[in-house]
Each structure stands twice: as structure tokens, then as C-alpha cells.
């Protein structure tokens, strides 16, 4: 019999599994607490549970564990970048950042990525597999255990496209905000997507309190398709329709991500086109200075990011520039894993 991934089960599912083993409900609550609050990594740690039951549990379930194989600590800020090894030997990255409002963790949702964005390191070696809910939670639990810092906000902006691993991501989001578990408010979660329109409609139905970040990066279809192949599947018009629907349904404003790339999307005409495109939407634009990756020649310079921001503000837009943290440790998505696997 194949063992069940116990960290991916909701408290109700765990109770049902344990009742089929003849155990009472309160036992399941104790086990859930050991896993998600006390963060046990082995059934033998569960000392208020009989030895016989611990043995029985270890015969039916396994506790998925991520091992830290490399850790880079920034000397300029408190950023820590983890390279985790999964139980099948694959690797993923997680970045812990120190913001004014607390510790924020950037997690991966897939091993590799199918989306093929031209400027992104995560996609270069292709796609291996989806991450399980336990492997998304494990990134948080592992970073908290190692650093002694409490993760207060979360961004799904590491390796992978979260909406391409939709079922597992939704399951993870529910586990994350479960009061008996990590109990992180969804207000402190951002999910970033390259724009899988069908899944944006699906996600809207849950009315989660999270922030949906949409990677736009260009304001016309021709240019967006050049740098983001997903635009051939769902163009800007369809994407913005889905975003408006999402805002109507959830009451949450969208955050549009725009990586400023010198000579590609940072002219006055680009600023004007972006302002026109997003006019009247309940949204915010987050400019990202593009991270240079050695396989590609996209660049951005500080002064043009600043100029682009001022231009957008001139059109009355709500704009911020993403702070660059961990610049000395290559904290951008996919970069550490690539160095490690080559
Ligand atoms: N697949 C999701 C989330 C992962 S990437 C998405 O596409 O949104 C998180 C953000 O970083 C996205 O906005 C992505 O476009 C951006 N990004 C990827 N590579 C980058 C790079 N080299 N420089 C700047 N931003 C990058």
C-alpha cells in the first residue's frame, strides 16, 4: 500500500483517514497540531500519542520533508536564500526577506516552469513536475525552523506558475490559513501569475482574500507575445477581462507586475500605452527592475525605472518599484537552482 502524504491533508481529511484506522477525532487533532504547529518531522516526536499508534501512523502515512542543501545569506540585508532538495532529488528555491512589515517568504510552486517567459531563469531548463501542498508548506516550515524567524507574509513568486498547479495551490492556500495550522491570513498572501485566464476565473470563485499579481510586462500583444509565449494563448484583452471579473467578484484590486527592460518596454509611448490600457481599473502597478540572467541579455537601469515610474504617476497611476533585496546572493527566481544543477 502506498503511504499517504499526511502534510497535504486538511484537518477534516486527516480525521477521516484516522477514523478509518479506528482512531478517535481528538487524536487526529493532536496529530494535526504536531505537524502544523509543533512541526514534527517524525512520528516518534509525537510524545502524547502512544507508541503503538505512532507505529501505525508511520505504516500508513509519511511526513514529507525538505532538506536544505544550500543557504545563502545576504551581507547587505537580512535576505536568506534556501536551496531545498525534495524527496525525489529535485531542487527548488525559497527566499526569506526582511520587510518593514515583517518577514516575507517567496516560495516555489513547481520544479521548473512550462511558461517560457524570455527573461526568466526558472523556465530555461524546462518543467519537471508540480509541487505538492506539503512541499509548499515545507518551504515555510523549513525556513522558519532554520532561521528562527516567523513568516508573516507569503508570495507565490518563486519557481513555477502557481495557476498551472491549480489544485495543489488551492489546497495549499486552504491549509495555510487553517486556524488549527499556520493560520496565516490570506490578506498576507500574494499569488503571481503570468495570466492563465481560465484559472483566474476559477480562482475568483473562492473569493480568497489574497492579492492577485499579474505579470503584464508589456502593453501591446505583439511585444507581450515576444517575451511571454502565454500571450499567444490568452491575449491582453482576455487577460484584462478576467482581471476585471476577479476584482468584481472578490473586491480585491489587482497588482500588475511590469519588469522594466531597457529599450524593450520603457519608453514614453510605453508608459502612455500602459496608462491607457489600465485606465479605470482598480489596480496598482509594481515595477520590477529586471534581474539580469547570464543566459539572456535583458537589462534595466535604475534611472530608467525611476523615469518610467514618474511617467506613470504623471498619468495618475498607482505605482511602486519593487525593492531589490539580496542583490549580492542572486536572489531572483531560478538562479540558484540553475547554478546548482549545471
Ligand atoms: N509564474 C508566475 C510567478 C513566478 S515569477 C508569474 O509569471 O507571475 C514572479 C515574477 O518575477 C513575475 O512577475 C515574473 O515575470 C518576474 N520575473 C521573472 N524573471 C525575472 C527577471 N529576470 N527579472 C525581473 N523579473 C522577473
Amino acid at each position: 500500500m502506498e503511504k499517504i502524504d499526511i502534510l497535504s491533508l486538511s484537518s477534516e481529511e486527516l480525521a477521516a483517514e484516522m477514523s478509518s484506522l479506528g482512531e478517535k477525532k481528538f487524536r487526529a487533532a493532536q496529530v494535526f497540531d504536531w505537524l502544523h504547529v509543533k512541526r514534527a518531522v517524525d512520528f516518534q516526536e509525537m510524545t502524547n500519542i502512544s507508541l503503538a499508534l505512532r507505529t501505525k501512523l508511520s505504516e500508513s502515512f509519511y511526513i514529507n520533508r525538505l532538506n536544505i542543501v544550500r543557504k545563502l545569506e545576504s551581507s547587505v540585508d537580512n535576505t536568506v536564500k534556501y536551496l531545498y532538495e525534495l524527496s525525489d532529488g529535485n531542487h527548488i528555491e525559497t527566499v526569506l526577506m526582511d520587510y518593514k512589515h515583517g518577514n516575507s517568504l517567496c516560495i516555489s510552486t513547481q520544479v521548473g516552469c512550462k511558461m517560457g517567459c524570455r527573461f526568466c531563469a526558472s523556465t530555461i531548463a524546462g518543467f519537471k513536475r508540480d509541487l505538492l501542498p506539503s512541499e509548499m508548506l515545507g518551504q515555510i516550515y523549513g525556513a522558519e525552523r532554520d532561521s528562527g524567524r516567523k513568516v508573516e507574509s507569503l508570495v507565490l513568486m518563486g519557481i513555477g506558475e502557481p495557476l498551472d498547479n491549480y489544485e495543489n495551490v488551492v489546497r495549499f492556500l486552504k491549509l495555510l490559513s487553517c486556524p488549527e495550522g499556520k493560520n496565516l491570513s490570506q490578506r498576507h498572501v500574494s499569488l503571481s501569475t503570468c495570466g492563465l485566464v481560465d484559472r483566474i476565473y476559477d480562482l475568483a470563485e473562492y473569493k480568497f482574500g489574497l492579492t492577485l499579481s499579474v505579470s503584464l510586462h508589456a502593453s501591446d500583444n505583439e511585444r507581450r507575445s515576444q517575451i511571454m509565449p502565454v500571450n499567444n494563448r490568452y491575449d491582453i484583452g482576455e487577460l484584462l477581462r478576467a482581471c476585471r471579473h476577479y476584482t468584481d467578484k472578490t473586491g480585491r484590486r489587482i497588482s500588475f507586475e511590469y519588469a522594466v527592460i531597457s529599450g524593450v518596454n520603457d519608453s514614453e509611448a510605453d508608459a502612455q500605452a500602459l496608462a491607457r490600457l489600465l485606465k479605470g481599473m482598480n489596480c496598482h502597478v509594481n515595477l520590477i527592475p529586471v534581474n539580469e540572467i547570464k543566459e539572456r541579455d535583458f537589462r534595466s537601469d535604475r534611472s530608467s525605472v525611476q523615469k518610467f515610474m514618474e511617467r506613470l504617476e504623471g498619468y495618475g497611476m498607482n505605482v511602486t518599484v519593487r525593492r531589490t533585496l539580496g542583490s549580492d546572493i542572486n536572489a531572483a527566481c531560478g538562479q540558484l537552482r540553475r547554478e546548482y544543477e549545471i
Side-chain angles (χ1 to χ4, degrees):
M1 194 184 75
E2 208 176 309
K3 289 188 187 179
I4 297 170
D5 170 16
I6 195 167
L7 264 182
S8 291
L9 298 179
S10 67
S11 57
E12 298 79 16
E13 287 165 337
L14 180 60
E17 289 291 343
M18 285 186 58
S19 101
S20 73
L21 295 176
E23 295 298 328
K24 298 220 170 61
K25 229 180 167 160
F26 82 95
R27 286 280 173 223
Q30 284 179 322
V31 172
F32 197 85
D33 187 70
W34 272 110
L35 293 169
H36 296 278
V37 178
K38 300 196 186 80
R39 312 282 171 81
V41 292
D42 193 304
F43 293 107
Q44 294 315 323
E45 292 174 40
M46 303 182 179
T47 45
N48 59 355
I49 285 167
S50 72
L51 199 55
L53 179 54
R54 282 185 246 161
T55 307
K56 201 152 104 182
L57 289 172
S58 63
E59 284 162 2
S60 302
F61 303 99
Y62 71 97
I63 305 176
N64 205 350
R65 200 179 166 175
L66 275 53
N67 286 316
I68 297 169
V69 288
R70 256 185 95 183
K71 178 167 125 180
L72 299 180
E73 289 172 277
S74 169
S75 53
V76 293
D77 47 51
N78 277 329
T79 306
V80 186
K81 182 162 190 168
Y82 294 101
L83 185 74
Y84 282 112
E85 186 167 79
L86 308 175
S87 48
D88 64 357
N90 275 307
H91 296 101
I92 50 160
E93 293 173 26
T94 306
V95 185
L96 180 61
M97 294 162 289
D98 185 3
Y99 280 116
K100 273 200 294 288
H101 54 265
N103 293 309
S104 179
L105 194 72
C106 176
I107 65 158
S108 296
T109 54
Q110 295 180 313
V111 183
C113 186
K114 300 175 203 158
M115 299 297 131
C117 298
R118 295 280 304 148
F119 45 81
C120 183
S122 303
T123 204
I124 293 171
F127 171 78
K128 292 240 175 82
R129 69 170 175 87
D130 286 330
L131 290 187
L132 298 165
S134 56
E135 292 167 330
M136 294 181 240
L137 281 174
Q139 293 172 65
I140 307 174
Y141 297 176
E144 287 190 336
R145 192 183 311 121
D146 178 77
S147 67
R149 287 154 65 180
K150 186 170 176 227
V151 170
E152 286 145 322
S153 66
L154 194 73
V155 293
L156 278 65
M157 288 191 186
I159 299 169
E161 166 49 47
L163 297 187
D164 187 43
N165 182 14
Y166 183 76
E167 302 294 334
N168 286 337
V169 164
V170 166
R171 179 176 272 276
F172 160 70
L173 292 171
K174 290 179 179 169
L175 270 166
L176 180 71
S177 50
C178 154
E180 298 83 25
K182 164 82 184 152
N183 196 15
L184 185 73
S185 160
Q186 285 179 347
R187 298 271 158 175
H188 299 154
V189 179
S190 289
L191 184 154
S192 182
T193 178
C194 63
L196 296 183
V197 163
D198 295 344
R199 296 284 93 83
I200 293 177
Y201 283 105
D202 292 341
L203 191 69
E205 292 304 310
Y206 283 104
K207 298 198 175 89
F208 285 144
L210 54 79
T211 298
L212 185 65
S213 293
V214 175
S215 302
L216 192 58
H217 304 322
S219 48
D220 63 84
N221 282 320
E222 198 187 332
R223 227 122 31 107
R224 191 163 190 268
S225 296
Q226 275 167 10
I227 53 175
M228 299 180 71
V230 68
N231 199 65
N232 294 310
R233 212 157 118 207
Y234 304 107
D235 70 14
I236 293 179
E238 286 176 90
L239 176 58
L240 294 189
R241 258 196 303 285
C243 291
R244 287 193 193 91
H245 172 85
Y246 189 88
T247 301
D248 288 347
K249 201 85 191 176
T250 61
R252 307 283 297 156
R253 74 173 181 177
I254 305 277
S255 176
F256 287 101
E257 307 285 310
Y258 193 98
V260 182
I261 312 172
S262 292
V264 174
N265 63 2
D266 66 342
S267 69
E268 166 59 31
D270 292 316
Q272 194 178 20
L274 183 61
R276 198 174 295 146
L277 191 69
L278 301 181
K279 197 166 177 224
M281 276 186 86
N282 183 9
C283 69
H284 158 261
V285 175
N286 192 20
L287 299 179
I288 318 175
V290 78
N291 275 300
E292 291 176 25
I293 49 173
K294 61 176 183 297
E295 293 85 351
R296 304 270 190 265
D297 60 356
F298 292 117
R299 309 205 181 293
S300 107
D301 67 80
R302 278 270 149 206
S303 65
S304 64
V305 175
Q306 182 65 25
K307 202 145 117 208
F308 199 70
M309 178 176 97
E310 286 161 12
R311 283 168 167 161
L312 291 176
E313 282 175 342
Y315 291 110
M317 303 195 70
N318 214 322
V319 197
T320 48
V321 175
R322 182 185 294 173
R323 267 178 67 206
T324 312
L325 291 175
S327 52
D328 56 331
I329 55 167
N330 255 355
C333 29
Q335 298 191 348
L336 182 59
R337 171 170 170 257
R338 265 197 78 59
E339 280 173 22
Y340 194 79
E341 299 211 328
I342 281 170

